[in-house]
């Protein structure tokens, strides 16, 4: 990010006349900044983009169900495709007690914009974890494409699995991708949805001693186009004309 700032300032310096010594900074309004989101990455700079979504649910008896949906896009990618891997294991083999908790309200939680993370619990001894990560790195070339694991998720299709922990479904819609878990014996439910330009992570717990997690990662690789030392020195020399006493 520091390099980008230097390059922008250098471009400004090169275009200013000799009277640049009287240049004074002005405050940019929030409304103007709001329209500039995402425009600091030059076209062609992104050489690899990936999404990884993971949801898991484990109940008090050790029964566990989960899924991972992943997507990786590069310049050589012919068609972007999500791949889904289901995981699960049975614990003690005994049935969990019926969840008796009640959660009310929250009708507007699904209409939020941006990132929405919600945990609601009406039981004891539960843990719920929501996490959204954005990983940005630089490289001279795109990383090697990893071998795709799991089943391809076609547009409009749903992949489901179930065991003693509950039922998990991964669905692809025209708006995005959704991963939901309905826990067995009324223990609760979880939802993770990446759609309409936003991310929703929500868990509702109605029983006890459940462990739930919803994790989404965005992995972006930018082309490493760092300027040479000579170019940086030239930029710094141009910026000297902008220095004002006290800055």
């Amino acid at each position: 990010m520091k390099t980008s700032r230097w390059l922008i300032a250098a471009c400004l310096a090169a275009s200013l006349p000799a009277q640049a010594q009287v240049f004074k900074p002005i405050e940019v309004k929030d409304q103007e900044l709001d329209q500039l989101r995402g425009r600091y990455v030059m076209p062609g700079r992104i050489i690899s983009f990936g999404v990884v979504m993971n949801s898991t649910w484990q109940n008090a008896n050790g029964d566990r169900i989960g899924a991972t949906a992943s997507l990786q896009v590069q310049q050589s990618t012919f068609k972007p495709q999500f791949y889904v891997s289901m995981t699960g294991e049975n614990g003690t083999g005994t049935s969990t007690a019926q969840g008796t908790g009640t959660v009310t309200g929250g009708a507007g939680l699904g209409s939020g914009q941006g990132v929405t993370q919600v945990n609601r619990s009406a039981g004891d001894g539960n843990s719920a974890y929501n996490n959204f990560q954005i990983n940005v790195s630089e490289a001279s070339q795109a990383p090697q494409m990893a071998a795709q694991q799991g089943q391809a998720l076609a547009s409009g299709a749903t992949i489901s699995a179930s065991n003693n922990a509950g039922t998990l479904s991964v669905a692809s819609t025209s708006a995005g991708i959704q991963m939901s878990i309905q826990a067995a014996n009324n223990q609760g439910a979880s939802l993770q949805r990446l759609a309409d330009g936003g991310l929703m992570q929500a868990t509702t717990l109605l029983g006890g001693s459940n462990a739930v997690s919803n994790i989404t990662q965005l992995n972006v690789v930018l082309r490493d186009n760092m300027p040479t030392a000579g170019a940086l020195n030239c930029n710094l020399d141009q910026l000297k004309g902008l220095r004002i006493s006290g800055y």
Side-chain angles (χ1 to χ4, degrees):
M1 294 300 293
K2 291 182 179 179
T3 302
S4 301
R5 292 171 186 163
W6 279 118
L7 292 175
I8 294 172
C11 292
L12 287 173
S15 62
L16 289 174
Q19 291 84 353
Q21 284 80 357
V22 298
F23 176 80
K24 293 182 179 181
I26 62 173
E27 182 178 358
V28 180
K29 297 180 180 180
D30 292 341
Q31 293 83 349
E32 295 175 345
L33 289 174
D34 182 65
Q35 300 301 318
L36 297 175
R37 290 178 299 174
R39 298 185 182 180
Y40 55 87
V41 177
M42 297 297 291
R45 183 88 191 275
I46 298 177
I47 57 178
S48 181
F49 175 80
V51 179
V52 180
M53 298 177 66
N54 178 270
S55 291
T56 61
W57 189 295
Q58 181 170 312
N59 63 22
N61 290 337
D63 303 315
R64 182 178 180 274
I65 193 168
T68 299
S70 60
L71 168 98
Q72 188 172 5
V73 180
Q74 295 184 0
Q75 187 175 10
S76 60
T77 302
F78 176 73
K79 178 182 178 182
Q81 181 71 65
F82 269 100
Y83 286 85
V84 178
S85 298
M86 296 284 189
T87 60
E89 59 185 50
N90 292 327
T92 61
T94 59
S95 178
T96 56
Q98 195 77 7
T100 58
T102 301
V103 174
T104 60
L109 294 174
S111 60
Q113 296 181 347
V115 178
T116 304
Q117 296 175 317
V118 181
N119 290 323
R120 301 191 297 169
S121 179
D124 298 322
N126 295 298
S127 67
Y129 178 69
N130 294 321
N131 191 20
F132 176 44
Q133 303 172 357
I134 301 178
N135 304 313
V136 180
S137 60
E138 292 185 344
S140 58
Q141 60 183 8
Q144 184 176 358
M145 291 282 287
Q148 299 293 349
Q149 302 291 329
Q151 181 179 350
L153 180 63
S155 178
T158 301
I159 298 176
S160 301
S162 61
N163 63 6
N164 291 340
T167 300
L168 190 152
S169 298
V170 182
S172 174
T173 67
S174 59
I177 186 169
Q178 176 172 298
M179 190 174 292
S180 59
I181 300 177
Q182 184 63 51
N185 298 316
N186 198 43
Q187 290 295 305
S190 73
L191 172 67
Q192 188 168 203
R193 182 175 63 232
L194 184 61
D196 298 326
L199 174 67
M200 174 69 173
Q201 295 176 324
T203 300
T204 300
L205 296 152
L206 305 178
S209 302
N210 297 285
V212 189
S213 69
N214 292 309
I215 302 173
T216 291
Q217 293 180 330
L218 298 184
N219 302 309
V220 181
V221 180
L222 304 178
R223 190 182 306 279
D224 186 359
N225 59 351
M226 295 289 289
T228 62
L232 285 176
N233 289 334
C234 177
N235 294 337
L236 291 175
D237 290 338
Q238 291 176 323
L239 289 172
K240 290 179 181 179
L242 295 178
R243 174 170 292 181
I244 302 174
S245 178
Y247 286 85

